[in-house]
């Protein structure tokens, strides 16, 4: 059986998907970052299915999605002026805040942690779905555990289609990398995952510099593991600009930020941003990785980009794709 793929811009699709969520089913839905695999966060059996479908280890907590900041007290506590300021500035949008959780939230959502990751997504279909379902929705990225996140409904249907009830097709994701995760449950706050909101913007809003957690400070959570967001084809980061393909090494694919005439001899080349912008590169990153991964290459080489703004999230994903398991 395969999932029904419904156009996300039709009110009837939203109503149907919301009913599936209310009934304990699974709905894959578009957000501005990547597609999520959603279940009613207040229904532990539904959330358990998310873990099963993704083959996700039970110690990896899920992000809870709410339709507006005023719904935050349903899932989190510790809502102070700083939280309100960040919510006002960045929600709806690609920022997940880690806060103390409320006792009502099922343990399975937070993997037993006393904190919860929560965000208000910006995609119109996601917000309509959350509003219609009238419940917080726990949703990881809609990919098998460890693989590249989906940025189109097609990506979801390709790898998880048979295992979810409904896929809402809202087109390609605008941001293309996952949300930035900022933990306010520790002092000073720490970025647990670079993402769609650049660190510089958070620092400006908070008025102080932020640390990005190294592996040691991170909670034991696979999304923060070294090896993640990975293609099946081995991937290596180049030290600098790409030149000719290595003479030995079989069929090699190349991932470039912008077009490069010197790059010759590759079996396939993907250019992330013909316009050279990091926002375009982020939006195209996961689709390009999937495309190269489908070609049966021996190796993918990726050109590094600068680590300011969205470049930080792009390099984070490429490093983890390149890490050894
Ligand atoms: O953009 C996104 O964040 C997407 C869309 C669907 O919203 N979601 C997403 O979910 O990327 P997922 O499950 O693929 O990644 C969530 C990350 C994991 O690394 C998890 O460990 C971390 O969030 N996380 C969730 N709750 C946490 C908590 N209470 N403390 C620390 N990390 C947490
Ligand atoms: Mg994920």
């Amino acid at each position: 059986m395969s999932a029904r793929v419904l156009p996300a811009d039709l009110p009837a699709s939203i109503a149907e998907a919301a009913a599936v969520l209310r009934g304990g089913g699974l709905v894959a839905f578009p957000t501005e970052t990547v597609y999520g695999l959603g279940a009613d966060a207040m229904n532990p059996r539904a959330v358990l299915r998310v873990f099963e479908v993704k083959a996700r280890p039970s110690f990896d907590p899920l992000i809870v999605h709410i339709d507006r900041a005023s719904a935050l007290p349903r899932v989190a506590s510790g809502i102070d002026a700083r939280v309100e300021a960040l919510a006002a500035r960045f929600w709806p949008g690609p920022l997940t805040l880690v806060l103390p959780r409320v006792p009502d939230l099922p343990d399975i959502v937070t993997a037993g942690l006393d904190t919860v990751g929560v965000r208000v997504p910006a995609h119109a279909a996601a917000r309509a779905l959350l509003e219609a379902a009238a419940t917080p929705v726990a949703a990881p990225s809609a990919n098998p555990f460890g693989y590249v996140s989906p940025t189109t409904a097609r990506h979801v249907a390709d790898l998880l289609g048979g295992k979810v009830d409904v896929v809402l097709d809202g087109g390609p994701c605008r941001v293309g990398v996952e949300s930035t995760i900022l933990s306010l449950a520790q002092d000073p706050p720490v970025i647990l995952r670079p993402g769609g909101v650049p660190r510089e913007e958070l620092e400006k809003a908070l008025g102080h510099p932020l640390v990005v957690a190294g592996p040691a400070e991170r909670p034991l959570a696979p999304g923060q593991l070294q090896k993640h967001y990975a293609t099946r084809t081995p991937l290596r980061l180049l030290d600098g600009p790409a030149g000719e393909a290595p003479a030995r090494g079989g069929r090699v694919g190349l991932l470039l930020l912008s077009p490069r005439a010197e790059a010759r001899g590759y079996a396939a080349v993907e250019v992330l941003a013909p316009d050279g912008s990091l926002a375009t590169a982020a939006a195209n990153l996961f689709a390009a990785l999937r495309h190269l991964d489908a070609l049966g290459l021996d190796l993918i080489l990726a050109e590094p980009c600068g680590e300011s703004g969205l470049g930080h999230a792009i390099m984070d994903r490429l490093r983890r794709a390149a890490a050894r398991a």
Side-chain angles (χ1 to χ4, degrees):
M1 202 198 79
S2 60
R4 266 155 341 115
V5 181
L6 305 176
D9 55 350
L10 294 185
S13 307
I14 299 294
E16 187 171 341
V20 167
L21 285 176
R22 301 287 305 181
L26 301 190
V27 173
F29 63 97
T31 81
E32 75 281 22
T33 58
V34 300
Y35 275 71
L37 177 61
D40 179 355
M42 308 314 278
N43 179 341
R45 295 180 58 138
V47 176
L48 178 61
R49 270 190 70 202
V50 171
F51 281 89
E52 288 169 353
V53 162
K54 273 197 67 130
R56 180 178 178 113
S58 59
F59 56 86
D60 191 8
L62 303 182
I63 292 174
V64 173
H65 299 70
I66 52 177
D67 68 342
R68 63 195 72 202
S70 59
L72 200 46
R74 286 187 72 177
V75 296
S77 61
I79 302 161
D80 56 17
R82 195 177 49 172
V83 174
E84 276 164 12
L86 289 169
R89 168 77 181 77
F90 295 105
W91 284 353
L95 176 66
T96 294
L97 296 177
V98 172
L99 294 166
R101 58 176 282 194
V102 297
D104 283 1
L105 199 63
D107 277 338
I108 187 171
V109 173
T110 65
L113 296 176
D114 52 14
T115 57
V116 59
V118 54
R119 81 178 188 100
V120 179
H123 196 293
R127 300 192 70 198
L129 177 66
L130 291 166
E131 197 177 336
T135 183
V137 170
S141 51
N143 51 281
F145 179 70
Y147 195 63
V148 180
S149 301
T151 52
T152 66
R154 186 59 201 265
H155 293 163
V156 179
D158 281 350
L159 293 183
L160 295 182
K163 300 176 178 169
V164 306
D165 300 302
V166 166
V167 179
L168 282 178
D169 185 351
C173 299
R174 176 174 55 81
V175 176
V177 290
E178 298 83 351
S179 60
T180 302
I181 303 179
L182 178 69
S183 175
L184 296 172
Q186 47 204 302
D187 201 31
V190 170
I191 294 178
L192 297 178
R193 178 178 70 184
V197 172
R199 175 175 66 184
E200 296 88 333
E201 286 189 33
L202 290 174
E203 291 177 333
K204 203 165 5 151
L206 287 167
H208 59 78
L210 280 169
V211 176
V212 179
E217 299 115 305
R218 288 177 179 147
L220 194 56
Q224 294 155 12
L225 282 181
Q226 295 292 30
K227 175 95 183 163
H228 214 72
Y229 310 105
T231 50
R232 298 193 181 92
T233 313
L235 181 145
R236 227 171 51 222
L237 258 170
L238 292 164
D239 296 330
E244 283 186 33
R248 288 187 300 273
R251 296 174 67 234
V252 180
L254 179 65
L255 189 70
L256 289 176
L257 185 69
S258 46
R260 192 175 281 292
E262 315 85 271
R264 282 192 226 102
Y266 293 89
V269 179
E270 283 283 316
V271 176
L272 293 178
D275 65 356
S277 96
L278 289 171
T280 307
N284 291 327
L285 177 65
F286 289 147
L289 284 174
R290 277 175 188 255
H291 182 231
L292 289 172
D293 203 22
L295 299 176
L297 302 168
D298 297 297
L299 177 68
I300 299 169
L301 292 177
E303 199 178 58
C305 67
E307 295 208 47
S308 59
L310 284 172
H312 195 184
I314 294 171
M315 285 300 288
D316 172 80
R317 302 306 184 271
L318 288 176
R319 279 201 193 92
R320 290 194 220 189
R324 283 165 188 277

